[in-house]
Amino acid sequence: MSELTVENVAGHKTRDDLWVIIHGKVYDLTKYIRDHPGGADVLLDVAGTDATSAYEDVGHSEDADEIMQTYLVGTLKDATQFVRKSAVRVIQPTSLPVGESNSSSRVRKVAAAGSVAGFLSLLYYVSPRRGPSQLPHALQHIQSYLPDLHRLLPSAMTGIRLPHGGFVNGFAAAALLSAIITGVVGVKLSKLTQIDSGFTRYPPRIKSKPSPKADPHSIPGFLNPKDYKTLPLVQKDLLAPNVYRFVFQLPSATDIVGLPVGQHVAIKAVVNGQSVSRSYTPTSNNLDRGYLELVIKCYPDGLLTGQYLANLQVGEKVHFRGPKGAMKYRRNLCRKIGMIAGGTGITPMYQLIRAICEDDRDTTEISLVYANRSVGDILLREELEAFARRYPKQFRIYYMLDIAPENWRYGTGYVTPEVMAARLPKPAADTKIFLCGPPGMINAAKKGLVSLGFEAPSAVGKMTDQIFCF
C-alpha cells in the first residue's frame, strides 16, 4: 500500500477520477459514484480533499466502513488524528414544583382540623356561662373553618351533652373534645400515609387487563447486527433480465429473520481475494417463518452481484449480518406516504407496503410510482397488484415505462414533477415521501419534490426527513 500526500490526492477531483481522504486513508471512489446513497454531488463536493469531517458529520454506518475498504488505495503521509468537536451540554436548572399533591393537602387539612377543633372547644368551654347545648354549636364553628370535618368525626359526637359551668368543667370538656378529635385525626392520618404492599394492595379476584399484542416486526430473530451468520441458498429464480429471487433457509421452520420494517441486511463474500460487502432489503419479513427472501439485480460488472451472487448455486452458504439502516418504521408513522421506486428499488417499498396493508391497525395511505424500462422489468407485479385490489382505499400504484406497449394505461417517460403532483400526496406535516432506485432518477426526484414544496432531505437518510432515501 502506497503512502500519498495531500498534493497527490488533490489531483483526483473529477467524476471520472475521484479520490478522498478519510481518517488518514486514501480511497478511490470513482467506481462507487453510481452506488453512493447520497448521490454523486455529495462526493464531488469533497473530491480531492480530506473528507473526514464531512464523513463523520452525516454519521455513516458500519456497512459504509466495510464498503470503503474495497476502494482503499493508500495512506496519507503525515496524517493527523481526527478529533471530533465535543458537544456543549447545557444543564437546565430544575425548578421546584409549585403545586402540591392531593395527599399532602389532605394531610394538612386533617392536622388543621385537630388544632382548630381543640382551640375552639377550649374557647367555648372555658367560660362558665356556656351551657351544654354549646358543643354542637362549637362543632358548627369548626366545620365552617373546615367543611370536610364531618367526614373525619363520628356522627355521634354531634349529640354529646357535657355539664356546664365553671372553669374546671369547661376545661374538662375541651380536653375531652380535643382528645376525641385528635384520635379520629390520627386514624385518618395513618390511613393517608400508610403504604400498601403485597396482596393487601389488590382486591380479591381482580381481573387483569390483557397485555397489548407485541409488534411481530420488532421481535428479534436469526440476524445479529454485529456478527455474520451463514444461511444456505435453497431456491434461485430468474424474475427478469439479471434479476433473481434468492431464498435462504433459516435453521428451523419456525425461526424468523428478526428484521424491523424498513431495515436491510448485509451480505459479505470474498471475491477474487477481496472482501466485499453490500446491503439489500429482503422482500420477506417476520411474518414469514423459516426463510429469508431477497430480490437482487446482478450487474455483469458488479463485484458482489455479477461475480458472486449471479453464479451462486443452490446449497451454497452466504454470510448475513443485520438488521441495518436508518429506517425503523412504526405503525401509523404518518397519515400519507408517497413512494418513487425504480427497478430493484421496489424491494424496500414492497416491505413497507406489506407491513402496512397486513396490519389492521395501520391506516396509512400509500401512493406508489414505480418506474422501469419495459413491462418485463416490473418486479413483484403480481404481489403489488394483489395488494392494490385487496386494499383499494389504502394502496394505489402507478407504473412508468421507458418503452411502453400498445394500449398501455399507465405513464411513459420520466417521473417528472407533473407526474409526482398528480400521483403522490401533497406536501404536509403528516406526509412523507420514500425514494429508492438508480442515483440519477433519485437525484431528479429530489429536485422535483423540493420544487413542489417538500423539504430537502439530508445527505444521509434520517427518519425525521420529509423525503427519505433508502
Side-chain angles (χ1 to χ4, degrees):
M1 186 178 296
S2 59
E3 189 176 48
L4 303 165
T5 65
V6 173
E7 290 74 17
N8 295 143
V9 178
H12 304 269
K13 56 182 179 180
T14 66
R15 182 182 293 270
D16 299 325
D17 183 18
L18 196 156
W19 289 16
V20 296
I21 302 167
I22 298 176
H23 289 298
K25 296 180 180 180
V26 180
Y27 300 92
D28 180 358
L29 301 182
T30 308
K31 295 182 179 180
Y32 185 59
I33 290 179
R34 184 183 65 177
D35 298 326
H36 186 245
D41 293 342
V42 176
L43 295 180
L44 288 170
D45 288 343
V46 295
T49 68
D50 191 327
T52 305
S53 180
Y55 183 83
E56 290 295 328
D57 286 345
V58 297
H60 284 79
S61 65
E62 293 179 9
D63 288 348
D65 295 333
E66 289 186 4
I67 292 172
M68 293 291 289
Q69 300 309 310
T70 307
Y71 303 100
L72 182 64
V73 294
T75 59
L76 184 68
K77 183 178 181 181
D78 300 327
T80 58
Q81 185 176 2
F82 174 76
V83 179
R84 184 187 295 275
K85 295 180 180 180
S86 58
V88 179
R89 183 183 178 189
V90 179
I91 301 177
Q92 298 291 344
T94 304
S95 59
L96 294 175
V98 177
E100 61 181 7
S101 66
N102 291 336
S103 297
S104 61
S105 177
R106 290 176 62 193
V107 168
R108 280 199 289 274
K109 286 184 177 181
V110 170
S115 301
V116 175
F119 178 70
L120 292 180
S121 298
L122 182 60
L123 290 179
Y124 272 89
Y125 282 94
V126 73
S127 171
R129 291 190 298 271
R130 297 292 179 186
S133 61
Q134 298 301 317
L135 178 57
H137 188 56
L139 292 176
Q140 291 174 4
H141 277 264
I142 297 172
Q143 232 177 316
S144 67
Y145 173 79
L146 190 65
D148 292 337
L149 183 64
H150 69 278
R151 290 199 292 265
L152 303 176
L153 302 176
S155 59
M157 285 190 64
T158 58
I160 294 178
R161 299 181 67 82
L162 294 176
H164 63 282
F167 176 81
V168 175
N169 287 344
F171 185 83
L176 176 61
L177 181 59
S178 296
I180 294 172
I181 292 177
T182 302
V184 174
V185 167
V187 172
K188 298 295 182 180
L189 186 59
S190 66
K191 287 183 178 180
L192 288 175
T193 58
Q194 183 179 358
I195 300 176
D196 293 334
S197 61
F199 293 109
T200 61
R201 186 175 179 181
Y202 303 98
R205 295 190 298 274
I206 187 170
K207 293 183 179 180
S208 60
K209 295 182 179 179
S211 57
K213 188 177 180 181
D215 181 2
H217 300 295
S218 64
I219 300 174
F222 169 80
L223 291 173
N224 187 304
K226 297 296 182 183
D227 303 317
Y228 281 97
K229 304 172 77 172
T230 59
L231 288 176
L233 178 68
V234 294
Q235 184 178 338
K236 181 180 178 182
D237 304 315
L238 182 66
L239 302 182
N242 299 323
V243 179
Y244 296 89
R245 176 190 278 117
F246 298 90
V247 181
F248 299 89
Q249 185 176 2
L250 296 176
S252 169
T254 59
D255 284 346
I256 61 173
V257 177
L259 188 75
V261 175
Q263 300 220 304
H264 53 260
V265 298
I267 292 179
K268 182 179 73 171
V270 177
V271 182
N272 299 332
Q274 187 176 2
S275 179
V276 186
S277 174
R278 295 289 186 272
S279 296
Y280 303 97
T281 303
T283 50
S284 58
N285 60 32
N286 282 359
L287 299 180
D288 304 312
R289 294 185 174 272
Y291 68 93
L292 166 64
E293 180 184 281
L294 292 163
V295 174
I296 301 174
K297 185 168 185 177
C298 297
Y299 295 94
D301 59 344
L303 194 60
L304 183 72
T305 59
Q307 298 186 41
Y308 175 67
L309 291 176
N311 301 315
L312 196 66
Q313 301 298 313
V314 171
E316 293 187 77
K317 293 186 176 181
V318 174
H319 293 272
F320 290 93
R321 190 179 72 173
K324 299 284 185 180
M327 162 64 73
K328 288 185 180 180
Y329 180 81
R330 64 179 185 277
R331 180 184 298 123
N332 295 312
L333 174 67
C334 51
R335 192 169 67 90
K336 294 184 178 182
I337 291 177
M339 297 178 173
I340 300 177
T344 54
I346 191 62
T347 55
M349 308 302 186
Y350 179 73
Q351 190 189 68
L352 282 166
I353 292 164
R354 274 198 64 185
I356 293 170
C357 290
E358 292 175 347
D359 187 346
D360 293 337
R361 291 175 289 178
D362 200 324
T363 59
T364 308
E365 298 177 13
I366 312 166
S367 302
L368 168 66
V369 175
Y370 185 21
N372 285 280
R373 179 171 176 77
S374 65
V375 171
D377 295 318
I378 300 175
L379 303 177
L380 303 169
R381 184 175 183 179
E382 291 184 11
E383 293 85 348
L384 290 168
E385 293 181 357
F387 281 118
R389 287 192 300 270
R390 290 176 60 188
Y391 308 95
K393 294 182 179 180
Q394 196 168 10
F395 175 51
R396 294 182 297 275
I397 184 170
Y398 190 76
Y399 299 110
M400 296 290 296
L401 295 180
D402 293 339
I403 304 172
E406 291 185 13
N407 301 320
W408 176 246
R409 61 191 185 96
Y410 297 100
T412 57
Y414 295 114
V415 183
T416 62
E418 290 74 22
V419 173
M420 299 177 199
R423 300 296 171 179
L424 298 178
K426 301 296 185 289
D430 56 359
T431 296
K432 286 184 179 291
I433 304 294
F434 296 151
L435 308 177
C436 191
M441 187 193 82
I442 297 305
N443 288 333
K446 290 179 189 176
K447 294 176 182 177
L449 290 167
V450 171
S451 70
L452 293 175
F454 288 93
E455 298 174 6
S458 308
V460 174
K462 299 178 181 178
M463 281 297 296
T464 54
D465 290 345
Q466 194 174 32
I467 302 173
F468 182 88
C469 303
F470 285 93

